Each structure stands twice: as C-alpha cells, then as structure tokens.
Amino acid sequence: MAERIFGAEIVDANEDGVLVRELKAATAFIVGTAPIHEVHDTPEEQAKYVNRPILIRREADIAKLFGPFREGYTLPQKLRAMFKQARTRGIGTICVVNVFDPQQHKDDADQPDPSKVDQLDIIGAFDATGKPSGLKLAYSCYQRFGWFPKNIAAPGFDGLPGVRAEMAAICARIRARCYWDAPYGVTLQQLQEARGPMGSFDFQTNDTRVNLCWPMMETVNLDETSDQAGKVIPDHYSAYLMGIVLMSVMEYGYHHSPSNRPIKGIEGAAQDVLYVPGDGSSDTQVTRSNGIISVEERFGKGPHTSGNRNAGYPTQTSMLTFFHAQYTQDVLDEAILHFLDEKKDRNGSLARIEQVEDAINAWGIAKTGGNDPELSGFRFAFDREKMSAAYAADGWYHYTLEFAPIGIMETITVRRSININLLADALGLAQSEAA
C-alpha cells in the first residue's frame, strides 16, 4: 500500500504501458562516402557530416546534405537508388553515415580522395570516451531516434575484409538484416561456389539476417564532370533491394515478401539472368535454391526482384529462412520487449501477471484477423508449468510466446491430367456414351 496522505488527494489509477506498440519497421542504416566538401565549405561545417548519423526522408535532401553525384563516392548514388523505389507512402526513414573526411582522406596532391577510405573507416570503432563511428553508429540509433534500424548496408564496401562480419554481428544484436553484393561480372557457377569454402569470393554463411544479392544493376552515370557522364555503368544491387524492402514495408507491411517487386531507376540488370516460368533449368532456379536474391524479367514485365529466402537457406530448415518471417519475428520481439521493459521491477502480483498476458494477447491475436492478416496464429501465456515459488522469490518470471508467420506462395504446383469425359460435355453427349 502506498504511503498515506492526510487530507484530500488525487491518485493516478492509470497503468503505465497498457498498449503494445511496434517501433518503426521501415528503417535503414547505410554507410559510405560523400563529397561533402562540395556543399559544406569549412572544416567545421564538414565535421557535422563526418561519422554523424543523419536522417534523410526525401530524395531532394541528398545533394543538399551530402553533395552531388561524383564518381568514387557512394552515398549520393546509393541513396538515389533507394528513393527511386518509393511509391505513394515513401520508403520510411534512412539513417546515413558518411565516413569520408575531406580533411583526412587526401591524395599526394593534398586533394580529397575517397579511395583512401578503407575497411577500418567503414567498420568504425568506439573511441576512448565510448563514441562510435562507422557501422557501429547503428547501435546509437535507439538512444538518438527511438528505434534500431531494420536494414543495414555498405554498398561498395561490404567485400572488404571484416565489413561483412561486422554487419552480421550488429544485425544479430539489434534485430536487423544486412545486404551483401556479389562482385561485378561473376558467373552463375562462381556464385554457387561462393556459397561453399572454395569460392573466389565469400558468400559462405547460413545467417538468416544476411541477404545475398546478384547481379549488379545498370544505371546512368549522373556525374557531369566525368568522361563517362550519361553512359550506362554497373551499380550495386543491394541499394536497390534495400529500397524495395523499405517500400514494401511501407506499402504492404513487414509481413509481405519483397520478391517479385519491380526494380525502378535502372536500365536493366548488368548481366543476363535467364528466367523461363515453370522451367527448372532457369538461372533464377539456381539463385533461389542457393538462398540468393536475384532478378527476373520477361517480355512486357521488366526487371523484378526474385527470391524470398535469406542466406539461411538451404542449410537451415526453419521458416525464418523466409525474408518476411525473420522480419516479422524481429518486429514482434521488439514490440513485446519494449512493452515488458515498462513492467520490470514492478510487483509480480497475479493481477499484474494477467494484465501483461491480456495486453500482449489482445495485440497479437488482433494481427491474425482481417483481409490482410500479419500472423497466422499467436499465443502469449504466463508459464505456470515452468514457474515456481523459488523463481518468484528470486524475481524471475516466465512467459511463453508462440506465433506463426503468414505463409508465402513461393512454389505453386498444379496437378494436371487429361479427362476424356470432358469431351462429352463439348459434344452434348451423356457421360455413359462417352465412356
């Protein structure tokens, strides 16, 4: 019982944390290089855009914040690739980190040189005061913005030593997913070999938070100062795919697959990918069966994403190898954890236990109904079998969570046969005469 107040008083009877709410799901974190010295003149102004998380929600802000398209710099082009995928609801929120410092990364003529950026700049570090840089700034997004990014990429740099391992480690901690690009020009056989120990590059992982991308896309070089200005150049698929994922979450929801969605802002794929519907020898059959997200196009359709599975497939047999299933689990986990965070250190009475149970069940079960359910099933319960008086005395309370994601029609099999009895209908005959 609370302390008694002698005299009139008003007691707040509202229960903190009655509703379960999801955090932002259409969020991304991208690391790269930008010619910030072309739009920010002084070292002091430039410092505001070096290893600082900058939120961007509009394509129009790219040049103003990070500079124009320039060969050798990644961020202006990759951000453009992402924003080109937007539809009526946009693509959510992107946290951008530029690691290029024009005061530090210089050539022998003392001119800014983005080629001086290496894997250590991309990976980042925590300095003596605990301040992060590079990819490690993803950890600070929750304290800064109230959400962790759900998608992480470093297009053009993920092939450098240590970068992929760092992205995967960050994703495991903050419930995100990352994107790895295959090198330009690799063959389908090299792509398959890369999934094993003998590959010429490294795609050997079964992490359900890693998405493998092949091939590169073709886009127009928008750097008017370049000899290649206006010409078609290869560009990393990961930026386009991550933009499509954000668009898909905004337009349809995190429980939908980003596969079979149009890829915008490109001239086409940089390599031919054979796709014949119903043909088991198509290139897309090889990529899909190896957990690689590719591209497919046919007459009158244009380039579309192709692949529902992450790198966990085919070695893992869990449903989490589906892109949307891992995304769904992450959103559920995060929402429930943040709801329960308000309940910690409060009394473990039966009334409070049941209030937690009822609130989470009401939220989760509501996701199983309607015309576009987010879940196939949901159950949250106080674990009365595992719970004991000893656990209660130790302040340790146990619940169970069961859920089923929505299934994806990845393979559609039609059993076909010829029924000669149907000839009778066409000729107006009785079934017995047809027999």
Side-chain angles (χ1 to χ4, degrees), residues 22 102 170 187 214-215 234 246 263 277 281 286 292-293 331 358 384 404 407:
E22 297 166 11
I170 292 171
T187 65
W214 177 86
L246 294 178
I263 308 171
S281 64
V286 176
I292 297 166
I293 299 176
V331 172
D358 292 345
R384 288 166 173 81

Side-chain angles (χ1 to χ4, degrees), residues 139-251:
Y139 291 122
S140 69
C141 284
Y142 179 70
Q143 282 72 27
R144 290 174 180 268
F145 310 124
W147 46 263
F148 284 114
K150 292 290 183 291
N151 302 274
I152 297 177
F157 297 101
D158 63 82
L160 297 177
V163 175
R164 288 177 176 171
E166 183 65 23
M167 285 199 291
I170 292 171
C171 288
R173 292 190 66 186
I174 66 173
R175 297 179 178 83
R177 64 230 73 250
C178 58
Y179 301 78
W180 299 359
D181 282 295
Y184 175 61
V186 300
T187 65
L188 200 62
Q189 178 173 332
Q190 290 173 318
L191 193 66
Q192 287 181 272
E193 292 172 346
R195 293 293 272 139
M198 306 303 292
S200 58
F201 63 99
D202 185 16
F203 263 13
Q204 189 182 13
T205 179
N206 67 346
D207 191 338
T208 60
R209 299 188 178 281
V210 173
N211 299 287
L212 307 175
C213 309
W214 177 86
M216 288 196 179
M217 300 294 108
E218 286 186 335
T219 190
V220 175
N221 187 342
L222 297 177
D223 181 1
E224 70 276 5
T225 67
S226 169
D227 294 336
Q228 301 295 313
K231 296 183 178 180
V232 174
I233 57 173
D235 198 17
H236 299 91
Y237 186 13
S238 60
Y240 296 90
L241 179 58
M242 192 159 70
I244 290 167
V245 169
L246 294 178
M247 177 280 297
S248 181
V249 172
M250 291 295 291
E251 291 287 330

Side-chain angles (χ1 to χ4, degrees), residues 244-363:
I244 290 167
V245 169
L246 294 178
M247 177 280 297
S248 181
V249 172
M250 291 295 291
E251 291 287 330
Y252 311 110
Y254 55 78
H255 58 299
H256 283 264
S257 170
S259 185
N260 200 16
R261 307 289 186 195
I263 308 171
K264 300 177 182 178
I266 63 170
E267 301 301 304
Q271 291 173 246
D272 289 336
V273 181
L274 176 64
Y275 170 60
V276 179
D279 182 5
S281 64
S282 292
D283 292 348
T284 51
Q285 296 294 319
V286 176
T287 55
R288 281 175 176 256
S289 64
N290 284 278
I292 297 166
I293 299 176
S294 185
V295 60
E296 62 185 46
E297 54 184 317
R298 63 176 185 264
F299 182 80
K301 184 177 182 180
H304 279 56
T305 53
S306 177
N308 296 300
R309 307 278 186 160
N310 51 49
Y313 190 81
T315 57
Q316 290 200 38
T317 58
S318 165
M319 195 176 178
L320 291 180
T321 60
F322 280 102
F323 186 99
H324 81 288
Q326 179 66 78
Y327 217 122
T328 297
Q329 177 175 280
D330 292 342
V331 172
L332 295 186
D333 285 355
E334 194 171 62
I336 292 172
L337 281 173
H338 284 274
F339 173 78
L340 293 176
D341 199 51
E342 294 189 48
K343 305 299 182 183
K344 70 184 179 188
D345 303 326
R346 299 295 177 259
N347 289 345
S349 65
L350 183 59
R352 189 178 295 275
I353 287 170
E354 292 177 345
Q355 187 271 330
V356 169
E357 205 172 32
D358 292 345
I360 294 179
N361 268 317
W363 169 77

